[in-house]
Amino acid sequence: MSLLQLKNTTIRFGGLVAVEYVDLTIEKGEILALIGPNGAGKSTIFNMVTGIYPPTEGNIYFSGEEITHLKPYQITARGIARTFQNIRLFKDLSVLDNVKIGCHNHTKSELWGALSRLPAVKKEEAEITDKALACLELTGLSKKRDELAKNLSYGEQRRLEIARALAAEPKLLLLDEPAAGMNSGEKVSLANMVREIRDMGLTIFLVEHDMKFVMGLSDRVVVLNYGRKIADGTPEEVKKNPDVITAYLGKDGV
Amino acid sequence: MDFLFNDYNARIIINIGIYIIMALGLNLITGVTGQLSLGHAAFMSIGAYTSSLLSMKLGLPFGVALLGGSLTAAFFGVLLGFPTLRLTGDYLAMATLGFAEIVRVILTNLEVTGGALGLSPIPYKTTMPLVLISVILIVFAMARIERSRFGRALLAIREDEIAAETMGINTFRYKIVAFALGSFCAGLGGSLYAHFITYINPVDFGFNKSIEILNMVVLGGMGSIPGTILGSVVLTIAPEFLRFVEQYRMLFYGALLVIMMIFRPNGLLGGVNFTDLVLKTFGLKKKKKVNGSSEKEGVK
């Protein structure tokens, strides 16, 4: 059984069809990249998978369970976490607090816990701190933990988004243009970090524009154009696909 | 200690205490959770009227009236929250403003609330120790909320609601709870107020009152507990200190607000980490105790 499965997924915004009858599967443990020209519907697919926009048609299954019309927090609870293309950190909170909020998903104490601060609550709070620090360690941000998120550099903010998503202990991690705005050195270490995360047992689904980054990192690549899937295969297969070449370079580009 | 027992000062201190309680409630809604409410006075009036009716008409003990007033306000907070907390920003502000007007008009027209004449005499029950204890309890509760998983969820909603939702936070439910808690504080403040002034009428709880409480939060620093307390103190005693300018009092009060906002746009204590500040002042700042961290604190 595939970890994530999209069946005939379609979304229309008024008259605009952003994603049309897309079928897509992700197997456990793979790194799958979703590529395509601007406006192809890549981020929209992410938004459908994470419940921000419910699809107009079609179904989405995660570990065999239908998640099509669940709310974002319910989908996160089932094991999907994501980062955002246009960084959405909690800007005025510290780096550590950002990641601690990521732990919300698998912790329990509520208002009563906050007020009573019983031993169980304190223990949970300590576990949250440990988990958050481990995620910061993995993303190389430990030294920045007391900074406000908004004071981090662009590349650090992207890594903090990953740390925050990891803190949710997902099975599937969605990365929306993780390498955007990074220099080539940062991209190399990002690719290594993504492999490391995969080796921890997570499945990675990423959208990325940087072809070199995608081709070097992914096990499989899916290409989207005008909301339709035009190719699906290994990086080598996709590179040779005439439809893909047309989509990227135009008809006479070859 | 003598000045505490001076009647005039005692009244001011009780007033400050009541405003601190209400402002901390609004701070939770607006400062921490980021939901702009312009109807805080409505919850104050619900608490004031409910508790007054409980002690006047039913002759219930003050403690019961106090709790009844606060819980009723919280209940209405939830009731209002359900339809309106799906709205954001300006729309929510408009909805809460409208709600406050509806409450005021209903109170003016109901017979049981004494119409425009209001209610009197309400038994005089609010004492300074009671107010101080209430303030301490509310401050304590707010401080604990701030540093908990629950409080972080509220902050996350303020910072970015979509990101909060994708981190697994049921934002709607958390907003409702924050609204209920904030309204509870307003109701508690209103109940204490009614049993202190002994006379209430709907005019006391108009739009101006909501703005006054909001001013305390904004002036002190949104989201900051010490800031909100300071804002409440400053704005409650400012009119008293400004008595010497007589009829220009409100003019000076307004100017004070404008000046503060120019020089401290984030509020008096906005962006100040109060705990760190106190620790540094007394030279007690220690290395943060963090479990399981292997890396060393870099010297900044």
Side-chain angles (χ1 to χ4, degrees), chain B residues 273-292:
Chain B
N273 187 334
F274 201 69
T275 326
D276 275 6
L277 191 74
V278 171
L279 289 178
K280 265 182 204 152
T281 314
F282 294 103
L284 297 168
K285 177 107 174 115
K286 279 180 288 190
K287 248 169 61 171
K288 271 205 179 131
K289 191 178 71 186
V290 190
N291 307 317

Side-chain angles (χ1 to χ4, degrees), chain A residues 88 104 107 109 115 125 133, chain B residues 144 149 152 159-160 290:
Chain A
R88 280 179 170 272
H104 187 94
T107 46
S109 73
L115 295 176
E125 193 64 30
L133 286 170
Chain B
R144 284 206 153 180
R149 172 180 179 270
R152 281 193 302 268
E159 293 293 310
D160 191 321
V290 190

Side-chain angles (χ1 to χ4, degrees), chain A residues 9-68:
Chain A
T9 315
T10 301
I11 188 165
R12 297 187 192 90
F13 298 107
L16 177 85
V17 187
V19 174
E20 205 174 3
Y21 302 115
V22 167
D23 287 317
L24 191 91
T25 55
I26 301 176
E27 303 303 327
K28 194 171 180 311
E30 73 175 339
I31 299 180
L32 175 69
L34 184 61
I35 64 170
N38 284 324
K42 305 180 298 293
S43 286
T44 309
I45 287 192
F46 268 29
N47 285 335
M48 286 193 286
V49 171
T50 50
I52 292 171
Y53 303 142
T56 336
E57 266 179 66
N59 310 80
I60 303 172
Y61 300 88
F62 182 66
S63 296
E65 183 193 4
E66 174 150 20
I67 57 164
T68 318

